Amino acid sequence: MQINAYLIFNGHAAAAFDFYARCLRGKITAQLPFGEMPGCEDMPAAARERIAHIRLEVGDQALMASDSHPDHAYGGIQGCSVSLGISDPAEAARLFDELKQDGTVQMPLQETFWAQRFGMLVDRFGASWMINCAKPV
């Protein structure tokens, strides 16, 4: 079984994933706008540019997303966080600092009873992140 996070954005999935690809040092391996899907030929031009599916690969892991379809209301990204398990405290700090740019820190990256470093933030695109660098066992 494979479990992947799938985020929904309101028109900025491509910009978010360009940002995530830089921060996470990954590669976007799929990016399909609604305008290239069958049955979407009559969509307004702005809607045709929205992303129907995007995939970012980081090593053997994947993060995926889309923009909300114009016919479906966007409800925002709530009640879910993307959790990154990092083994190196310096890498955890780098990722936290990059992802928090123009975002909101909910819990600063710090030592906790379970982790060398743990922090939470909401990035500039509204996605919630948890950075966890566990203590060695």
Side-chain angles (χ1 to χ4, degrees):
M1 177 187 302
Q2 181 176 353
I3 299 174
N4 297 100
Y6 201 99
L7 306 175
I8 308 295
F9 293 94
N10 191 22
H12 50 263
F17 269 57
D18 285 343
F19 176 66
Y20 301 156
R22 285 191 309 276
C23 292
L24 299 173
R25 297 180 178 157
K27 181 179 179 181
I28 295 172
T29 58
Q31 184 167 331
L32 308 165
F34 280 107
E36 292 181 10
M37 294 177 58
C40 293
E41 299 82 12
D42 295 332
M43 269 186 174
R48 292 172 51 83
E49 295 174 9
R50 293 171 76 97
I51 300 299
H53 177 72
I54 191 166
R55 179 183 174 94
L56 172 65
E57 293 184 7
V58 181
D60 63 352
Q61 304 293 313
L63 180 65
M64 297 178 287
S66 70
D67 286 316
S68 58
H69 190 280
D71 293 341
H72 303 285
Y74 173 73
I77 301 172
Q78 297 177 349
C80 182
S81 294
V82 177
S83 178
L84 300 176
I86 309 297
S87 59
D88 177 34
E91 179 65 0
R94 182 194 70 79
L95 276 168
F96 191 86
D97 288 343
E98 288 191 30
L99 288 168
K100 76 177 185 183
Q101 294 174 22
D102 299 320
T104 304
V105 173
Q106 296 173 311
M107 179 180 175
L109 190 69
Q110 60 193 338
E111 185 173 355
T112 66
F113 69 91
W114 74 86
Q116 295 179 74
R117 299 288 182 279
F118 178 81
M120 300 184 329
L121 62 99
V122 175
D123 70 28
R124 68 179 102 176
F125 301 102
S128 177
W129 296 83
M130 296 189 307
I131 309 298
N132 189 58
C133 180
K135 291 183 176 179
V137 281

